């Protein structure tokens, strides 16, 4: 099974690019991915955050406080805004989450779970302090039909997952060099 980014996830990644520019960061980090999820009205990830009773505005404020710079990135510099290695790792981990839950379509829900899994990252402590962790969010997503049944983890080859996701990320970032839109 080769993982593919859903349209919903592509929108979230575009929002992450915009959040990095808004907060004055040339590196799209884990907090930008969380901010992007918080902007993605109608997404399963945002429904899970709200359904678990987390304060969306408090999460946004905490993430902004962590990364905000006074000067946003000028529009002319948009092609220079790129994901950090840690953010790329989270996106790859989202691919693993998708396959683990029996689907090849990587969605915002899988990205949210990946952010929770990175306990040494920026977003996981913010989610935990707000009252959510991986198990709570996964249970909510599963209970509300936002995840597929787990597939056999033994049948998943991490090299295949990471290689496939790496190819997709390279293509996405290569395409963005010529345009100001992150995912054009």
């Amino acid at each position: 099974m080769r993982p593919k980014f859903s349209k919903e996830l592509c929108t979230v990644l575009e929002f992450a690019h915009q959040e990095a520019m808004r907060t004055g960061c040339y590196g799209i980090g884990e907090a930008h991915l969380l901010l992007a999820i918080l902007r993605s009205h109608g997404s399963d990830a945002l429904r899970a955050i709200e359904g678990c009773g987390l304060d969306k505005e408090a999460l946004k404020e905490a993430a902004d406080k962590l990364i905000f710079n006074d000067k946003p990135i000028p529009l002319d510099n948009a092609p220079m805004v790129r994901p950090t290695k840690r953010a790329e790792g989270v996106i790859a981990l989202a691919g693993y989450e998708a396959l683990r839950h029996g689907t090849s379509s990587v969605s915002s829900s899988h990205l949210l779970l990946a952010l929770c899994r990175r306990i040494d990252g920026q977003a996981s402590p913010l989610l935990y302090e707000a009252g959510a962790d991986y198990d709570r969010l996964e249970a909510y997503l599963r209970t509300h039909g936002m995840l597929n049944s787990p597939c056999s983890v033994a049948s998943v080859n991490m090299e295949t997952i990471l290689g496939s996701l790496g190819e997709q990320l390279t293509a996405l970032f290569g395409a963005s060099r010529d345009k100001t839109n992150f995912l054009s």
Side-chain angles (χ1 to χ4, degrees):
M1 214 179 334
R2 182 182 169 114
K4 303 267 186 202
F5 294 168
S6 68
K7 288 181 183 182
E8 176 193 55
L9 181 60
C10 289
T11 299
V12 169
L13 294 176
E14 187 173 326
F15 286 162
H17 185 263
Q18 294 169 7
E19 287 297 325
M21 291 185 65
R22 180 185 68 80
T23 59
C25 300
Y26 281 93
I28 301 167
E30 296 170 46
H32 297 111
L33 295 172
L34 178 59
L35 286 168
I37 287 172
L38 295 171
R39 278 182 59 182
S40 63
H41 301 287
S43 72
D44 286 347
L46 184 58
R47 279 195 291 274
I49 287 171
E50 293 171 339
C52 286
L54 305 185
D55 184 342
K56 185 175 98 168
E57 290 305 314
L59 271 171
K60 183 188 180 310
E61 287 177 28
D64 270 345
K65 184 178 179 181
L66 188 65
I67 58 174
F68 195 80
N69 294 313
D70 290 338
K71 293 184 180 180
I73 303 296
L75 255 151
D76 292 344
N77 292 351
M80 297 181 343
V81 177
R82 299 275 195 219
T84 63
K85 293 284 184 195
R86 293 184 65 79
E88 288 177 1
V90 168
I91 294 166
L93 191 53
Y96 169 77
E97 286 293 334
L99 292 175
R100 184 175 167 274
H101 290 94
T103 182
S104 62
S105 180
V106 186
S107 71
S108 66
S109 297
H110 303 115
L111 182 64
L112 179 61
L113 291 176
L115 285 170
C116 288
R117 243 187 220 282
R118 290 295 297 258
I119 57 172
D120 61 338
Q122 292 177 321
S124 180
L126 297 177
L127 289 163
Y128 185 77
E129 288 172 19
D133 60 12
Y134 180 92
D135 292 334
R136 182 172 181 207
L137 288 168
E138 183 186 38
Y140 183 90
L141 291 164
R142 184 179 309 282
T143 301
H144 290 84
M146 297 177 199
L147 294 175
N148 289 342
S149 304
C151 63
S152 170
V153 175
S155 69
V156 176
N157 179 338
M158 279 303 285
E159 288 180 25
T160 303
I161 296 168
L162 295 177
S164 175
L165 288 171
E167 290 170 13
Q168 289 183 55
L169 286 171
T170 301
L172 287 170
F173 301 144
S176 71
R177 287 184 185 173
D178 299 329
K179 302 174 184 173
T180 59
N181 186 337
F182 178 56
L183 295 171
S184 294

